[in-house]
Amino acid sequence: MEEIKNKQLNDLATMPNPINQESAHSQNDGHDHGQQDTETNGVLAHWDLILALLMLATELILEFGFNYKLSNPIGFTVNSIAYLLAGRSVLNLAFRKARRGDIFNEFVLMSVATLGAFYIGEYSEGVAVMVFYQIGEWFQDSAVSRAKRNIKALLDIRPDEVTVLRNGVDQIVTPSQVSLGETIQVKPGERVALDGILVSQNASFNTAALTGESKPDTKYKDEPILAGMINLNTVAQIKVSSLFKDSKLSKILEMVQDATARKSQTQLFISRFAKVYTPIVFFLALALVALPYFFVEGYVFRDWLYRGLVFLVISCPCALVVSIPLGYFGGIGLASRNGILFKGGNFLDVMTKVNAVVMDKTGTLTKGVFKVQQVVAQSISEQELVRITAALEKNSTHPVGKAVVEYAGEDLGTLTASEVEEIAGHGLKGKVDGKQVLAGNLKLLKKFDISYPPEIEQIVYTIVVIAIDNRYAGYITIADEIKEDAAATIKAMHDLNIKTIMLSGDKQSVVDAVAKQIGIDAAYGDLLPEGKVEKVQSLKDQGLQIAFAGDGVNDAPVVALADVGIAMGGLGSDATIETADVVIQNDQPSKIVSAIKVGKITRNIVWQNIILAMAVKIIVLALGAGGVANLWEAVIADVGVALLAILNAVRIQKISL
């Protein structure tokens, strides 16, 4: 094996590269499993191990099949060759580590156990321990590499080339060579390489790589298109809005690559446990050999040394230290395949403890696709009110503002706003055609001491109130649509005994109407960003473990405050996505429930592995100390439980949510 093992299970991005083991071993708690190049995991790369296995098998067949045992000099020579073929890399690492003062690790442990077997004349058993230990390592390395390749293949879907239209001519270039504002062409069956805006009238896309949903999604002119989508039915032209390195897909890949660097509490515990556990079992094995001399009549050094060697072999913490990180890696992969990005294994753990989910309304529980329902003007025509409001709202990214601009359409003309200022939680202020204009909620007018008809406070729908030159000028009502899976999501959370709360900047009447329709436990409206923060803090003070889901820029502070911050990534702002711990790529609230399930599945499998490994080791340690288990049984138990734990961890990636 190549200077065996890895930097950690964590470097998805660097998987194909050889790792410098000197640094690797110092930071992986004495047990490093390989992230070797795919080719080095092939059969030919392990010719020495296979040859050692064949030599061992031949010797055992001669001894037990034909009752022929090699004479001592020949047996020692043959077994020594087989031993060095299988274990020279382990011996090398054991020597290098011991020279640095690091003697409590699996390499020293295996070397001492196998050399001890040779010392007492159990040559074939010493070879068997090293051969099967290395076979176990090989399978474990392969399992880790395969899991990483599966995740990487799932996510690294950026095309290597793209067709860009320059001076009316199609040019094929790499995506990184395309500039902002250029137009790319995507043929049916091709994958979109860069984020942009659809120039064509319409086109259908498969968005499964980004959202986990395979059903076609039809996009229309001027709608956003994301890298990673697959064009299904017609040639589509897309105006590039993000550079290759800034595309949402590139950020998703970075998130997943970074995710494995953040260890869960269970991983951290096992790492600390391994550092304490290994020296303890080392000294216990030593005590098992030495102490009976003082208490046991007829003490035979060879017999007690053999028991100590068995004790050393079975004590190797392979199954725990490898399968647990792999389990969390599998959980991150399962979530990614379902359109959910966890930014670290630690958040998988925290997600299992959540007992209250707090959600923003607009863009999280509702579609955030607003339509103007009614325009009521005072001392100005409705058309002029819409034009002036749209000129100001054109500077906003809020869905409400976009609805007004869309409603104004061509009537907006060339009218523009200047000196635009966004007042968080209130609305916009600016100048339009020389007039001072305010457009926002009722709190905005109250802030500037502008009176308005009191009856408009009774309007249930979302409302944009407008003031021109410090005088009330009218209002525009806008309706949002509740997401199809919102009610089912709330029910599923209740089934999991999770409290549901909705926070919104919208007025309380609107919030209450939505809450009643979907069955949410509690709803609070009229909240500024700091009001949301205060509300979440008060819930945390009650001892609740909070997950907050939101999508707007003003949700970023509360996303950061929550125990788990969840960003609705499709419509979500970059600030919220950057701040969040979990990103839902397709904006479906039901994915929040899926994220909780992934966390629980991962936790269950990780603890199954912990219990399995510890139970088997304790039993065989006891049998070995009592002289019942031999080296063969010890190595089979060690390698067997490690492989079972690995297979159990890999199983996560095949689970359907």
Side-chain angles (χ1 to χ4, degrees):
M1 295 171 99
E2 183 103 6
E3 225 180 305
I4 331 181
K5 328 297 184 207
N6 65 345
K7 198 176 190 175
Q8 283 183 9
L9 283 165
N10 302 337
D11 260 325
L12 177 65
T14 59
M15 185 186 74
N17 300 327
I19 304 299
N20 184 308
Q21 294 306 319
E22 288 292 338
S23 61
H25 284 249
S26 65
Q27 56 183 311
N28 202 17
D29 310 318
H31 191 105
D32 311 287
H33 281 275
Q35 303 304 317
Q36 302 155 8
D37 191 289
T38 303
E39 294 179 3
T40 66
N41 268 330
V43 173
L44 291 178
H46 294 276
W47 65 268
D48 46 0
L49 177 58
I50 294 170
L51 181 57
L53 176 62
L54 290 174
M55 292 174 70
L56 176 64
T58 301
E59 182 182 0
L60 294 177
I61 290 171
L62 288 173
E63 182 175 349
F64 295 102
F66 297 93
N67 200 28
Y68 175 77
K69 188 170 183 177
L70 298 175
S71 61
N72 192 46
I74 297 175
F76 176 79
T77 303
V78 170
N79 281 290
S80 295
I81 294 171
Y83 177 78
L84 290 174
L85 284 170
R88 68 184 188 280
S89 56
V90 173
L91 292 170
N92 180 40
L93 277 167
F95 173 74
R96 288 163 55 190
K97 282 178 164 288
R99 191 173 58 184
R100 295 201 308 261
D102 177 12
I103 61 171
F104 299 119
N105 58 76
E106 64 172 291
F107 307 110
V108 173
L109 185 151
M110 283 293 114
S111 299
V112 170
T114 51
L115 290 173
F118 267 73
Y119 174 76
I120 61 176
E122 300 291 347
Y123 306 139
S124 62
E125 292 191 31
V127 173
V129 168
M130 190 62 78
V131 166
F132 286 108
Y133 169 74
Q134 290 282 51
I135 289 174
E137 297 291 280
W138 181 7
F139 278 112
Q140 291 164 18
D141 294 344
S142 298
V144 172
S145 296
R146 188 179 302 112
K148 294 182 78 171
R149 287 198 304 272
N150 289 343
I151 303 301
K152 192 169 184 180
L154 174 71
L155 291 172
D156 198 2
I157 51 178
R158 293 171 292 189
D160 295 326
E161 56 184 35
V162 61
T163 302
V164 61
L165 302 178
R166 291 174 176 167
N167 301 319
V169 178
D170 294 354
Q171 292 185 22
I172 297 178
V173 299
T174 61
S176 58
Q177 293 176 312
V178 180
S179 303
L180 293 177
E182 288 195 294
T183 300
I184 61 174
Q185 184 170 277
V186 184
K187 298 173 184 176
E190 289 184 343
R191 197 180 296 274
V192 180
L194 298 154
D195 292 352
I197 304 298
L198 187 62
V199 175
S200 307
Q201 289 302 314
N202 60 73
S204 291
F205 296 88
N206 181 326
T207 64
L210 295 171
T211 66
E213 298 295 324
S214 58
K215 64 181 181 181
D217 186 2
T218 301
K219 301 290 186 181
Y220 296 93
K221 186 175 181 179
D222 296 331
E223 288 193 333
I225 306 297
L226 300 179
M229 293 180 174
I230 299 174
N231 187 12
L232 295 178
N233 62 350
T234 184
V235 176
Q237 292 189 351
I238 299 166
K239 185 177 180 180
V240 176
S241 61
S242 295
L243 295 175
F244 182 65
K245 63 184 178 66
D246 298 325
S247 70
K248 257 191 169 55
L249 180 58
S250 293
K251 290 179 180 178
I252 287 169
L253 289 171
E254 288 173 12
M255 287 178 198
V256 175
Q257 289 168 2
D258 292 342
T260 49
R262 297 178 177 176
K263 288 190 173 183
S264 70
Q265 290 301 311
T266 308
Q267 285 174 274
L268 293 173
F269 167 75
I270 291 299
S271 296
R272 292 192 295 267
F273 172 79
K275 287 181 178 179
V276 176
Y277 166 86
T278 305
I280 287 175
V281 296
F282 206 94
F283 284 113
L284 285 175
L286 191 62
L288 184 62
V289 176
L291 291 181
Y293 174 80
F294 302 100
F295 306 105
V296 177
E297 287 187 27
Y299 173 83
V300 178
F301 174 73
R302 184 188 182 283
D303 293 344
W304 288 99
L305 176 60
Y306 188 84
R307 295 187 188 190
L309 298 178
V310 172
F311 199 91
L312 283 180
V313 171
I314 191 58
S315 64
C316 181
C318 309
L320 291 176
V321 183
V322 177
S323 67
I324 290 170
L326 184 59
Y328 282 99
F329 190 82
I332 291 170
L334 173 62
S336 299
R337 193 161 54 251
N338 285 273
I340 306 162
L341 299 179
F342 279 88
K343 291 187 179 179
N346 49 329
F347 301 118
L348 282 163
D349 273 349
V350 178
M351 208 66 180
T352 65
K353 302 172 185 175
V354 166
N355 52 21
V357 176
V358 182
M359 292 161 281
D360 179 44
K361 179 179 73 68
T362 305
T364 302
L365 292 169
T366 63
K367 292 183 177 180
V369 180
F370 291 84
K371 299 291 183 183
V372 172
Q373 304 296 314
Q374 184 182 22
V375 179
V376 176
Q378 181 173 304
S379 303
I380 187 176
S381 71
E382 292 180 1
Q383 184 182 24
E384 188 65 15
L385 181 68
V386 170
R387 288 182 71 246
I388 291 173
T389 307
L392 186 60
E393 293 286 4
K394 196 172 182 181
N395 297 277
S396 171
T397 59
H398 196 282
V400 170
K402 291 181 178 180
V404 175
V405 174
E406 183 181 337
Y407 184 76
E410 295 180 0
D411 287 344
L412 177 58
T414 58
L415 194 63
T416 58
S418 61
E419 301 177 23
V420 178
E421 177 187 350
E422 182 170 355
I423 303 171
H426 293 75
L428 297 174
K429 173 187 176 184
K431 283 191 174 181
V432 179
D433 201 18
K435 303 183 179 81
Q436 188 73 41
V437 179
L438 298 171
N441 53 33
L442 292 174
K443 289 180 288 189
L444 180 66
L445 268 60
K446 291 176 182 177
K447 181 179 178 68
F448 286 89
D449 294 323
I450 297 172
S451 60
Y452 54 85
E455 59 269 17
I456 67 176
E457 292 188 356
Q458 307 306 314
I459 297 173
V460 173
Y461 296 113
T462 299
I463 183 172
V464 178
V465 189
I466 302 98
I468 300 175
D469 289 335
N470 293 319
R471 294 186 62 183
Y472 169 75
Y475 66 84
I476 300 172
T477 60
I478 296 169
D480 191 8
E481 187 178 350
I482 295 173
K483 291 181 179 178
E484 290 85 353
D485 61 338
T489 298
I490 301 304
K491 183 181 183 303
M493 289 181 185
H494 289 162
D495 291 342
L496 294 171
N497 295 317
I498 294 174
K499 184 179 177 67
T500 55
I501 300 135
M502 181 168 65
L503 306 181
S504 178
D506 277 353
K507 56 187 177 180
Q508 191 66 48
S509 58
V510 175
V511 173
D512 287 340
V514 173
K516 184 178 180 181
Q517 191 169 342
I518 63 177
I520 209 160
D521 294 326
Y524 303 93
D526 298 310
L527 294 175
L528 298 174
E530 55 267 29
K532 292 182 180 180
V533 171
E534 291 171 4
K535 184 60 67 176
V536 169
Q537 186 60 58
S538 70
L539 292 169
K540 290 187 71 174
D541 292 343
Q542 297 172 28
L544 294 173
Q545 194 84 5
I546 302 292
F548 179 87
D551 72 309
V553 175
N554 60 356
D555 290 328
V558 70
V559 163
L561 174 64
D563 297 295
V564 182
I566 302 173
M568 309 304 285
L571 293 175
S573 72
D574 287 344
T576 306
I577 292 172
E578 288 294 327
T579 307
D581 309 311
V582 181
V583 178
I584 307 295
Q585 295 182 63
N586 65 356
D587 292 319
Q588 290 181 346
S590 57
K591 294 291 186 180
I592 301 171
V593 179
S594 297
I596 294 170
K597 289 180 178 178
V598 170
K600 292 187 175 183
I601 289 169
T602 304
R603 180 192 61 187
N604 290 342
I605 287 182
V606 164
W607 278 102
Q608 286 170 15
N609 285 346
I610 291 173
I611 293 168
L612 170 68
M614 293 308 299
V616 171
K617 286 188 181 296
I618 289 170
I619 291 169
V620 181
L621 282 171
L623 293 175
V628 177
N630 60 28
L631 279 174
W632 284 100
E633 291 160 348
V635 72
I636 290 171
D638 177 51
V639 174
V641 75
L643 292 181
L644 285 175
I646 291 292
L647 292 173
N648 196 33
V650 171
R651 183 170 62 90
I652 296 177
Q653 297 182 56
K654 299 181 180 180
I655 294 174
S656 298
L657 295 178

